[in-house]
Amino acid sequence: MGRTGISNPILRGFNPDASITQVNDDYYIATSTFEWLPGVDIYHSRDLVNWDLVASPLQDGINVNLRGNEDSGSIWAPHLSFAEGRFWLVFTDVKSRGQGLDALNYIISAEDVKGPWSEPVFINASGFDPALFHDGHHHYFLNMLHDYRPERDQRFAGLVMQEIDLPTLTLKGERRHFFTGTDLGVCEGPTLMKKDGYYYLLAAAGGTGYSHAATVSRSKDIWGPYETSPFHPLLTTKDDPTNPVQKAGHASFVQAGDEWFIVHIMARPLSLQRGHCPLGRETGLQKIEWIDDWPRLANGTHWPQMVIEAPKIARGVTQRSDYSERIDFADGVLPPSMKTLRHSLSSELSFDARPGYLRLHGGQSLGSLHEQSLLARRWQSTSFRAETQVEFSPRSFQQIAGLVCYFDTNNWQYLNVSFDEELGCKVLRLDISDNGKWVLVGKRPIEEQEAALRLGVRVNRNQAQFEAAKIGGAFVPIGEPTAADRLSDDYVKELGGLSFTGAFVGICAQDLDDHSSFADFRYFDYREFPGECA
């Protein structure tokens, strides 16, 4: 009897740049989080199919400070490994993305993946997407080299490597160039693996969008020269625009028994002709085979598949397909799915001020790069409904609270409670920011006796309908449907920007006056619609 198939992605919704490592029968994947905290999501599995979020080591005020970092900056492409009885996490904190590129590289470590993690050690800022390679008791720090000089044709100046002393995390010896790239150009996310006498260099290339790819080169000597695989590239959909798996690249090897796989970036456009991808870049799984000591996708092509045969270690496992969750704030805890922007809300959030509720004090505007009071979770489907209950007593139009669908500081859709001085009462507003242009989509007065309101949004692929209800009453639409697919990196790119994240939905509060107002939220519910997932 044949094995059942599993569907990609294995990590749904905004989980890019997967770095996988194995410790005995346990597998761990680390993914990028950019400006969202806690930073670097680490997932655990024993079957490569179902994954649990078990750690997010980067915490505001402890080992990272993201305040002021621009959209889609901050935490890029972590690398997770295990050596000398410890987990090692390498990450980049991108402070600026201009020609100079301030990309600060750090390493932290822990005996247990759940922590405690060590204090970060700064290594260098020569480029982004660094990694560690452990070759017995020799350890190497590899990275790409960024060239800021305007007279150069490109910013990529090759891959470099240097030995590193793990106990002290001190670089030693000389930094050496060891690879100049392939015909696909810039190498990102380089990782090394040793197998059967060869060093295999796996790297991302071709940018981060629809031309993305993964390449493989090998050498008998760690310092090269490296020859490029005859199966080149290993992975891409650049030449396959109707494949439901798009933007394939940035991969990482893993062995499971006698089988080999790669985890890789992928995205699912709403239309097969390379439409928008509001779920962002996700993590897929593909089986590989070895031909004359070269890896190749097991399907004999370089095109990834949406459905693959389940790994042998996953025999009998049912793949999770629904990520719905309801958060009752009376429990006084937040699940690991909930994240904040650039800081931890340590002083803005309270479960004790009003038992049974989460109190959120008004912070800076949704356009702020510093201290927003926003708590949200990633979209993991393009067919879902989110809902919350809020009590809020604004005294000014500058005091705002509600339910938000958020991509970045310039692109969001916000159903909020505020105050209108001309009407002399609270109002319910639907405001959107489209590439930084704020537009009022809908508004209605709130009756004085409506102390609490339920706010909701129903996302159906490329549209979102916001709605509201009195307690005990039926939901009614607020404004016309909005363009949900504009909360995507593709839309930002069409307008001349460059972004790498995905859409989130959650709750937030702003006080653009004296920061004295607060809103009380009773629950947050995220409910996917089975069979309608993107």
Side-chain angles (χ1 to χ4, degrees):
M1 182 179 295
R3 283 178 274 165
T4 58
I6 63 167
S7 295
N8 279 308
I10 55 171
L11 296 180
R12 293 179 179 270
F14 178 49
N15 275 291
D17 308 324
S19 170
I20 191 167
T21 193
Q22 179 182 1
V23 183
N24 300 320
D25 294 330
D26 297 291
Y27 299 89
Y28 300 91
I29 284 178
T31 63
S32 299
T33 47
F34 294 85
E35 61 262 39
W36 293 95
L37 287 172
V40 179
D41 284 339
I42 300 179
Y43 298 85
H44 169 259
S45 177
R46 287 201 161 188
D47 54 34
L48 295 180
V49 175
N50 293 313
W51 297 82
D52 296 313
L53 180 56
V54 295
S56 300
L58 301 186
Q59 305 286 334
D60 176 49
I62 298 176
N63 48 22
V64 71
N65 180 2
L66 306 184
R67 289 169 178 80
N69 290 4
E70 59 190 287
D71 292 329
S72 287
S74 299
I75 309 304
W76 285 14
H79 181 267
L80 183 67
S81 60
F82 187 83
E84 310 290 353
R86 297 182 68 86
F87 290 92
W88 303 89
L89 183 66
V90 187
F91 66 92
T92 304
D93 179 3
V94 177
K95 295 299 185 184
S96 70
R97 292 166 46 198
Q99 187 161 310
L101 185 69
D102 296 295
L104 283 59
N105 299 313
Y106 298 90
I107 298 178
I108 59 176
S109 67
E111 292 184 3
D112 188 321
V113 75
K114 297 180 181 179
W117 288 81
S118 66
E119 289 295 312
V121 175
F122 172 75
I123 304 300
N124 64 23
S126 65
F128 53 88
D129 294 5
L132 282 174
F133 174 60
H134 311 285
D135 190 8
H137 293 293
H138 292 276
H139 309 281
Y140 300 86
F141 183 85
L142 56 153
N143 197 10
M144 59 90 74
L145 194 62
H146 178 81
D147 193 335
Y148 68 90
R149 292 172 291 183
E151 68 270 24
R152 299 286 174 159
D153 292 334
Q154 60 177 345
R155 304 279 76 80
F156 174 64
L159 297 182
V160 293
M161 185 163 51
Q162 194 169 357
E163 281 205 64
I164 187 169
D165 179 66
L166 275 193
T168 63
L169 293 180
T170 303
L171 295 173
K172 57 184 182 179
E174 294 295 322
R175 183 177 75 184
R176 295 169 57 181
H177 278 83
F178 72 102
F179 192 65
T180 57
T182 68
D183 59 340
L184 296 182
V186 178
C187 282
E188 302 176 8
T191 63
L192 279 173
M193 178 188 70
K194 190 175 184 181
K195 179 181 182 294
D196 300 330
Y198 283 104
Y199 293 92
Y200 292 90
L201 174 64
L202 182 57
T208 59
Y210 285 109
S211 296
H212 202 36
T215 68
V216 176
S217 302
R218 75 181 186 189
S219 174
K220 289 282 189 178
D221 188 320
I222 192 172
W223 298 105
Y226 283 83
E227 59 175 327
T228 299
S229 171
F231 309 113
H232 175 70
L234 172 67
L235 178 74
T236 191
T237 48
K238 179 180 180 179
D239 57 349
D240 189 10
T242 62
N243 193 321
V245 178
Q246 287 291 321
K247 303 182 183 180
H250 200 121
S252 183
F253 288 120
V254 64
Q255 185 177 10
D258 62 351
E259 296 182 300
W260 282 85
F261 298 86
I262 54 170
V263 293
H264 64 94
I265 274 182
M266 62 167 284
R268 293 176 288 164
L270 292 175
S271 63
L272 292 184
Q273 290 300 320
R274 295 181 169 166
H276 295 167
C277 305
L279 299 186
R281 297 173 301 153
E282 306 171 287
T283 292
L285 181 74
Q286 304 293 329
K287 187 176 181 181
I288 62 172
E289 59 186 1
W290 292 89
I291 308 295
D292 297 328
D293 292 321
W294 286 107
R296 183 183 69 177
L297 293 188
N299 64 17
T301 76
H302 57 235
W303 300 315
Q305 295 172 289
M306 182 66 80
V307 178
I308 68 167
E309 187 178 52
K312 293 178 183 178
I313 60 172
R315 184 175 281 117
V317 170
T318 300
Q319 185 177 17
R320 181 181 180 184
S321 60
D322 188 350
Y323 290 84
S324 301
E325 67 176 347
R326 182 180 177 86
I327 307 169
D328 187 340
F329 293 134
D331 295 336
V333 294
L334 293 174
S337 59
M338 300 299 283
K339 291 191 174 293
T340 64
L341 275 172
R342 296 182 178 84
H343 77 128
S344 63
L345 299 185
S346 57
S347 61
E348 293 87 351
L349 181 153
S350 172
F351 289 107
D352 299 325
R354 183 182 178 187
Y357 292 78
L358 181 152
R359 177 162 292 180
L360 197 57
H361 287 265
Q364 297 173 5
S365 76
L366 285 174
S368 173
L369 298 173
H370 296 269
E371 296 189 358
Q372 292 195 37
S373 292
L374 188 152
L375 185 65
R377 54 114 62 222
R378 53 173 62 84
W379 295 9
Q380 292 181 278
S381 167
T382 54
S383 183
F384 71 88
R385 187 175 182 281
E387 179 184 320
T388 191
Q389 178 180 316
V390 62
E391 293 186 38
F392 183 47
S393 300
R395 305 180 307 276
S396 158
F397 71 93
Q398 291 181 302
Q399 297 173 340
I400 316 160
L403 178 72
V404 67
C405 287
Y406 184 95
F407 180 76
D408 63 16
T409 57
N410 289 311
N411 296 278
W412 42 260
Q413 302 172 5
Y414 187 18
L415 180 60
N416 62 84
V417 177
S418 187
F419 186 87
D420 190 305
E421 71 278 13
E422 294 180 356
L423 296 176
C425 66
K426 290 197 302 184
V427 291
L428 189 62
R429 299 173 55 98
L430 177 57
D431 294 285
I432 68 171
S433 176
D434 188 332
N435 194 35
K437 181 181 179 181
W438 292 24
V439 178
L440 174 64
V441 177
K443 181 174 74 170
R444 76 166 177 83
I446 298 174
E447 297 176 10
E448 186 176 349
Q449 65 270 27
E450 295 180 63
L453 286 174
R454 290 185 294 156
L455 308 179
V457 60
R458 170 66 155 88
V459 172
N460 184 18
R461 296 181 64 79
N462 65 339
Q463 287 192 328
Q465 179 64 67
F466 287 85
E467 53 192 13
K470 302 176 183 179
I471 302 303
F475 276 92
V476 296
I478 305 297
E480 297 297 320
T482 60
D485 62 319
R486 292 187 177 184
L487 302 178
S488 65
D489 55 353
D490 312 281
Y491 180 68
V492 172
K493 188 174 182 179
E494 289 171 5
L495 299 174
L498 189 61
S499 292
F500 310 118
T501 55
F504 278 66
V505 60
I507 58 176
C508 60
Q510 297 80 34
D511 190 325
L512 309 181
D513 183 16
D514 60 4
H515 292 185
S516 64
S517 64
F518 58 82
D520 291 333
F521 294 88
R522 182 67 185 84
Y523 62 85
F524 178 78
D525 188 76
Y526 169 84
R527 194 67 43 193
E528 297 181 354
F529 295 97
E532 300 181 35
C533 297

